[in-house]
Amino acid sequence: MLPEGISRGSEGPIALLVDATRPASRIRVFGMPLVERVLRAAQEAGLSGARVWIQEGDGGPTPLPAALEATFDLVREPAGAPLAKRIAEVAGRVSALLVVEGDAVVDPRLLAHLAAERGALACAPSAPLRGCGRPSAVLRLEGAPPDAPTARDLADLAEAWVRSGSLRELPAQAVPAHLKKLRRDLTPYVFRVSDEGERAAGERFLFASNYKGSTDFFTKHVYPPLVWTLLRPLARRRVHPNWVSGFNVVITFAAIPLFATGAWVSGLSLAYAMSVLDSVDGKLARLTYRASKLGHVLDHGLDVIHPPLWYLGFAAGLGGGPLL
């Protein structure tokens, strides 16, 4: 299903074409190959079950988790023809087709918005964000477009088809920018990553984009370096955020007897670690597309339960003995 309030704009099911011909499609952003991130973004956009073509180069197929492959009607095929011809060939087989590059970082909101639109559209930001990488694009096609053999990549192709009138340009700024959960506005993005320098810049951008727009001084200025330091190795080792949330539950309750017995340094150290990890698990879930109902309950439930228990521990420790 598409996100709430979004319906499909075409008569039939929408399909997705991922051009993963460049070796950079294997670059890992937060521990995940870029082509896998594209598929997870599509899943986040509500495109589960869609027919997906992954067209790959000489490097062979990028390994994908079996559970993710099962989410789509996946077709892997070698790419032997120019990009425009390959796109036109696939577009002629389906009612509507979204096209994205396999070495791109794409905002799920772009995919969801284009899936809900009608007609042939191109969303291609004019410049990369904060030096993250090279410009890219997301296309929506209904029927085969005309050939454009000189296009080097999807951004060039989008520009050529917009100039010819085959596609209508959709500015990224026209896509709703408000992120309700984060209480902030962020213009939807799509950019390519072609080397390790652009990977590092892209990770920094995504990390900063996942901080809430309204928060306290410590969360905004003190915690980010700590969260960043912990987040990267966890993401690269593909640690599930629920494991972080579960560990956080353990140290939260471990702090209570320390407070109650007056072991203030140890108790406050655990409390501080809990407060940092409380930010880590949510960022890890969003940046790796692994948010879950269980994680939501563990994270937000702990926020509600732990304060009164800690206060009881404080009172017992300050009073010199147990309260009950």
Side-chain angles (χ1 to χ4, degrees), residues 54-78:
I54 301 180
Q55 296 183 337
E56 295 163 309
D58 296 334
T62 302
L64 296 172
L68 182 63
E69 289 200 35
T71 301
F72 301 97
D73 180 8
L74 199 61
V75 178
R76 291 179 182 262
E77 57 186 21

Side-chain angles (χ1 to χ4, degrees), residues 143-190:
D147 197 13
T150 60
R152 296 171 301 172
D153 53 30
L154 203 57
D156 279 354
L157 200 53
E159 185 179 353
W161 281 339
V162 167
R163 279 200 313 265
S164 71
S166 302
L167 275 69
R168 174 167 55 90
E169 184 175 11
L170 176 72
Q173 291 77 8
V175 180
H178 187 65
L179 295 165
K180 185 177 180 181
K181 288 184 179 180
L182 297 180
R183 302 191 297 273
R184 65 177 297 181
D185 291 340
L186 177 69
T187 301
Y189 52 82
V190 56

Side-chain angles (χ1 to χ4, degrees), residues 31-200:
M32 196 179 297
L34 284 165
V35 68
E36 180 183 341
R37 288 192 67 87
V38 169
L39 293 183
R40 291 196 182 275
Q43 185 179 20
E44 186 82 0
L47 299 178
S48 296
R51 191 78 183 272
V52 177
W53 279 266
I54 301 180
Q55 296 183 337
E56 295 163 309
D58 296 334
T62 302
L64 296 172
L68 182 63
E69 289 200 35
T71 301
F72 301 97
D73 180 8
L74 199 61
V75 178
R76 291 179 182 262
E77 57 186 21
L83 177 60
K85 188 172 182 178
R86 287 187 276 115
I87 291 174
E89 199 275 329
V90 174
R93 300 187 222 167
V94 297
S95 299
L97 178 69
L98 298 180
V99 186
V100 65
E101 292 176 302
D103 56 354
V105 175
V106 59
D107 193 320
R109 294 174 297 166
L110 278 182
L111 298 175
H113 188 86
L114 285 169
E117 285 284 337
R118 287 189 178 275
L121 299 166
C123 186
S126 58
L129 295 170
R130 304 183 190 180
C132 294
R134 304 179 186 186
S136 187
V138 181
L139 308 186
R140 174 194 165 89
L141 304 172
E142 292 186 2
D147 197 13
T150 60
R152 296 171 301 172
D153 53 30
L154 203 57
D156 279 354
L157 200 53
E159 185 179 353
W161 281 339
V162 167
R163 279 200 313 265
S164 71
S166 302
L167 275 69
R168 174 167 55 90
E169 184 175 11
L170 176 72
Q173 291 77 8
V175 180
H178 187 65
L179 295 165
K180 185 177 180 181
K181 288 184 179 180
L182 297 180
R183 302 191 297 273
R184 65 177 297 181
D185 291 340
L186 177 69
T187 301
Y189 52 82
V190 56
F191 56 87
R192 280 175 53 198
V193 174
S194 58
D195 56 39
E196 286 301 307
E198 291 177 353
R199 177 201 58 77

Side-chain angles (χ1 to χ4, degrees), residues 97-312:
L97 178 69
L98 298 180
V99 186
V100 65
E101 292 176 302
D103 56 354
V105 175
V106 59
D107 193 320
R109 294 174 297 166
L110 278 182
L111 298 175
H113 188 86
L114 285 169
E117 285 284 337
R118 287 189 178 275
L121 299 166
C123 186
S126 58
L129 295 170
R130 304 183 190 180
C132 294
R134 304 179 186 186
S136 187
V138 181
L139 308 186
R140 174 194 165 89
L141 304 172
E142 292 186 2
D147 197 13
T150 60
R152 296 171 301 172
D153 53 30
L154 203 57
D156 279 354
L157 200 53
E159 185 179 353
W161 281 339
V162 167
R163 279 200 313 265
S164 71
S166 302
L167 275 69
R168 174 167 55 90
E169 184 175 11
L170 176 72
Q173 291 77 8
V175 180
H178 187 65
L179 295 165
K180 185 177 180 181
K181 288 184 179 180
L182 297 180
R183 302 191 297 273
R184 65 177 297 181
D185 291 340
L186 177 69
T187 301
Y189 52 82
V190 56
F191 56 87
R192 280 175 53 198
V193 174
S194 58
D195 56 39
E196 286 301 307
E198 291 177 353
R199 177 201 58 77
E203 287 186 343
R204 280 285 189 184
F205 167 75
L206 293 171
F207 177 75
S209 299
N210 272 273
Y211 262 90
K212 292 181 178 178
S214 174
T215 187
D216 59 83
F217 176 83
F218 275 89
T219 305
K220 192 171 184 178
H221 298 289
V222 178
Y223 287 2
L226 297 172
V227 175
W228 173 252
T229 300
L230 292 170
L231 176 70
R232 287 182 297 168
L234 290 171
R236 288 170 185 169
R237 288 168 175 78
R238 300 185 78 110
V239 174
H240 198 284
N242 287 357
W243 285 102
V244 180
S245 299
F247 179 71
N248 220 16
V249 170
V250 172
I251 65 174
T252 297
F253 282 92
I256 298 170
L258 295 175
F259 290 141
T261 56
W264 303 112
V265 173
S266 298
L268 289 172
S269 296
L270 286 183
Y272 186 73
M274 175 269 176
S275 67
V276 174
L277 290 176
D278 189 46
S279 185
V280 170
D281 58 3
K283 305 292 183 301
L284 184 62
R286 288 191 293 273
L287 290 169
T288 60
Y289 296 115
R290 286 185 292 179
S292 65
K293 291 182 179 179
L294 175 61
H296 181 82
V297 170
L298 288 173
D299 188 15
H300 296 285
L302 190 63
D303 291 341
V304 174
I305 293 171
H306 86 268
L309 297 178
W310 279 3
Y311 294 152
L312 286 172

